[in-house]
Each structure stands twice: as structure tokens, then as C-alpha cells.
Amino acid sequence: MSTDPARPFGRVLTAMVTPLAEDGTIDLAGAQQLASHLVDRQANDGLVVFGTTGESPTISDSEQHAVLEAVLDAVGDRATVIAGVGTNDTAHSIEKAQSAARLGVHGLLVVTPYYNRPPQAGLLRHFTAVADSTDLPVMLYDIPPRSVVPIEVETLVRAAEHPNIVAVKDAKADLGAVMWTLARTDLAYYSGEDMLNLPLLAAGAVGVVSVVSHLVGTRLAELIAAVEDGDLVRARAVNESLLPVYTGVFRTQGTIMVKAALRELGLPSGPVRPPLVDATPEELAQLRADLAAGGVAL
């Protein structure tokens, strides 16, 4: 687990899928096996459980409780476990945050409320209310492609005044806003969009919350180390080698494709839950080709 205050959740974090049995029920043993694999074999020093890739909108509170408990039991003494607790209902998000805190998670991921499109004042009130509800460090999740509403720089500056709000997972694709926020706050930035890992790290991000790290976590650790060493030639080379992986995993939808890849590798994943649908044979063939071009054999 991270002991670096500038990198409060670690360097390489996976937005972990939620393994399911073929009948769609939660696979708790699979969740433990996958969490251990990511920590032991893919250089992860943190896991985000029930982010976007964990299919959080289709997971019940009781299921979330059981999976978090299982993952903490498997890796909680050697990796930072962050619970995704954000919803578009502030009261429900607080309940989820307090439940996760009681289990012993190490941090919270709080996404911008989606669908109801709150103004910036509403975002700030939502984030600070959730942050007030526990003593845990909070990572905000800025992802306007899913939430519609971006977290504006001024809102991030004000949110950063809260002692528990310490980081941002950025999937906004606005490098200017990232650089302004970094200049005006002490928030730790994590890349939340794999295709932009290198530019975000070069701009000052301290790590990644990645989907492709299910498959190439060790190479992402190499990318981060190269940027930290100031070796941008090596960083660009590593990043270029990963471009087919980034593209392949997100051709259709990240959860669908990474679960398909994990199945091919014999790792726990299972089907996706509706309204998602599993990869077709044609999509799987394209994924194999993409990953092979990126040095990952299925």
C-alpha cells in the first residue's frame, strides 16, 4: 500500500471487473483470485472495486458489501482497496461510503452524479457531503462522457479545501483543465483514460486507474517509472507499444472487452450484466488481433 502522501493510493491501480458466475451471480472466489493476480502478477499496488468497469450501476448494495469483504480479505494487507461508492443520489452515496468504511476499505471513489445533471454548486455539495461522512481519503471521478457534467476547475479548487478530498481520477480529456487544477491545488491526479496515460503523466499525474492494467499492469508500471525518471524517449516507446492494447480494449466497451480477454486467459471474469452484452465472435477475433499487436497473446 502507498505510504507516499503525494501518491495517496499508489501508482498502478486497476478498475477491477466484477467476476460473475455463468448464471450472473457474484463469483466471490473469482474476485479474490483476480485481485490476487492483479497484485501479484500485474504490478498493481491498488484496486478500485466497483468503478465503471466493475459494472457498479448493476450491483446491489449487498453484493458490493460481499465483494469488498472478499477482496479486502485477499489483498487488503498489501494493496490499497478503494470502493466505488458514487451514485446520482447523495444520500445513497453516503450510505454506501459508510458501509464500505465499516468494512475497512482504504479509500473511496466518488463519481460525478450522472443523469440528473447537477450544477457545479450541486457537485460541490455532493462531493463534500460524501467526504464528510467518513474519515477515508476520497478520489473524485471526473468523467463527463458518462456523467455529462464535467467538474470545473473552480469546483475542484474548492473541493480540494476539504481535508478528505485528496485525488482525482481524470477521464475528461481536457489537459488544460488538468494543468490548471494541478497548478492551483495539491490534488493527486490519476489518469482514468488509458489512451491519455502518457500525456496525463507528463502533465503531472502520479499514477493510473486503468482498465488495460488487467492485462499489462507491469508495462504501465514501466511507463510511470520512465516518466518519473525523466526518460520521455523510453516512456514514448512503452506507450507506443501499448497503443494497440488501448484501442482493442475500447473498440466496443471496456468492460465487455476486458472480460472477454480475461476469459480467454483463463482468469475469473464471467459474463457482463444487462444492459451490457458479451463480446461477439467477430469482436473477440478483432480483440485477439489488437492485443497480439500490443504483445498480449490470448
Side-chain angles (χ1 to χ4, degrees):
M1 293 188 292
S2 177
T3 57
D4 181 355
R7 191 175 280 105
F9 300 112
R11 282 182 172 82
V12 179
L13 296 86
T14 291
M16 196 179 93
V17 303
T18 303
L20 302 177
E22 288 307 312
D23 65 358
T25 58
I26 298 288
D27 178 5
L28 291 178
Q32 291 189 312
Q33 181 186 342
L34 181 60
S36 296
H37 170 81
L38 293 171
V39 173
D40 297 336
R41 304 292 297 276
Q42 288 295 347
N44 279 237
D45 47 8
L47 300 174
V48 172
V49 185
F50 299 119
T52 302
T53 313
E55 301 177 79
S56 54
T58 58
I59 302 294
S60 72
D61 289 359
S62 62
E63 288 173 328
Q64 175 163 326
H65 184 284
V67 174
L68 285 171
E69 196 169 46
V71 171
L72 283 165
D73 185 57
V75 300
D77 60 344
R78 51 203 172 94
T80 304
V81 177
I82 303 167
V85 299
T87 72
N88 61 351
D89 173 356
T90 302
H92 188 203
S93 300
I94 288 171
E95 290 173 7
K96 288 166 73 75
Q98 292 175 335
S99 174
R102 286 192 292 270
L103 286 174
V105 302
H106 308 119
L108 304 173
L109 179 75
V110 183
V111 71
T112 310
Y114 41 85
Y115 186 74
N116 39 23
R117 299 180 67 172
Q120 295 297 307
L123 296 188
L124 184 63
R125 182 177 295 182
H126 175 84
F127 292 140
T128 55
V130 178
D132 280 339
S133 71
T134 80
D135 293 328
L136 292 173
V138 170
M139 179 188 292
L140 304 183
Y141 186 8
D142 192 4
I143 184 166
R146 291 179 182 273
S147 69
V148 180
V149 181
I151 312 175
E152 294 178 0
V153 173
E154 292 298 330
T155 305
L156 288 164
V157 169
R158 292 190 61 192
E161 297 171 0
H162 195 292
N164 292 346
I165 297 176
V166 300
V168 177
K169 177 185 176 184
D170 184 83
K172 186 160 55 181
D174 184 343
L175 293 173
V178 170
M179 289 187 286
W180 268 117
T181 307
L182 286 168
R184 296 182 60 193
T185 74
D186 293 325
L187 291 169
Y189 259 74
Y190 287 81
S191 173
E193 185 169 349
D194 279 310
M195 188 60 82
L196 296 183
N197 284 340
L198 176 56
L200 281 163
L201 289 165
V206 299
V208 299
V209 179
S210 171
V211 178
V212 303
S213 53
H214 283 92
L215 311 172
V216 291
T218 54
R219 290 162 66 188
L220 290 176
E222 183 183 357
L223 173 65
I224 295 167
V227 174
E228 289 181 346
D229 292 342
D231 189 348
L232 291 182
V233 172
R234 180 163 62 99
R236 285 196 297 267
V238 173
N239 191 67
E240 185 174 323
S241 77
L242 288 168
L243 291 177
V245 181
Y246 298 157
T247 296
V249 167
F250 291 101
R251 277 191 190 274
T252 302
Q253 199 268 0
T255 306
I256 292 170
M257 301 314 284
V258 82
K259 275 197 161 184
L262 291 170
R263 281 197 298 274
E264 293 295 301
L265 292 169
L267 290 165
S269 62
V272 294
R273 279 187 172 172
L276 298 182
V277 292
D278 291 318
T280 66
E282 294 78 15
E283 289 167 343
L284 184 55
Q286 179 65 64
L287 179 64
R288 286 196 188 97
D290 289 327
L291 293 185
V296 179
L298 296 186

